[in-house]
């Protein structure tokens, strides 16, 4: 579902932290269920919005927006890493 999208890295990171998505829930429902465990709500919602635009909007994202998307996903992952280390111990 996230193939070719920077959101795939975010989703894999959440799953590695033990926050699996249920088969019957949308990505938006998944993030809402996770609440603070998914990071700052505004950040994850923005990443998901960019993912949806990339995948489903016929106009997609501009090259600049793709770079911003990649940078935002990387920032999210770096910010989430301490929680992943804490969760694993």
């Amino acid at each position: 579902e996230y193939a070719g999208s920077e959101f795939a890295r975010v989703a894999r990171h959440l799953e590695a932290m033990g926050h699996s998505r249920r088969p019957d829930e949308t990505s938006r429902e998944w993030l809402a269920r996770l609440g603070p465990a998914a990071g700052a709500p505004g950040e994850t919602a923005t990443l998901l919005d960019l993912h949806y635009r990339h995948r489903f909007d016929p106009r997609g994202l501009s090259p600049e927006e793709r770079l911003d998307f990649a940078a935002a996903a990387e920032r999210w992952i770096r910010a989430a890493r301490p929680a992943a280390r804490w969760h694993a111990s």
Side-chain angles (χ1 to χ4, degrees), residues 6-71:
E6 286 75 2
F7 193 79
R9 295 183 60 217
V10 172
R12 283 192 304 269
H13 196 79
L14 285 168
E15 289 174 358
M17 292 170 59
H19 303 300
S20 297
R21 184 174 147 205
R22 296 175 184 155
D24 64 332
E25 66 188 348
T26 66
S27 298
R28 204 167 300 283
E29 291 168 334
W30 178 38
L31 295 178
R33 176 174 57 84
L34 295 179
E43 290 176 39
T44 50
T46 298
L47 290 169
L48 187 59
D49 288 343
L50 289 167
H51 163 71
Y52 283 146
R53 280 188 52 213
H54 170 64
R55 294 273 297 170
F56 303 112
D57 186 329
R59 291 170 290 157
L61 298 175
S62 70
E64 282 182 3
E65 289 171 316
R66 283 298 302 269
L67 289 173
D68 290 345
F69 186 15

Side-chain angles (χ1 to χ4, degrees), residues 13 17 76-89:
H13 196 79
M17 292 170 59
W76 183 93
I77 289 167
R78 274 189 267 130
R81 277 208 177 114
R85 281 195 297 270
W86 177 84
H87 179 79
S89 55

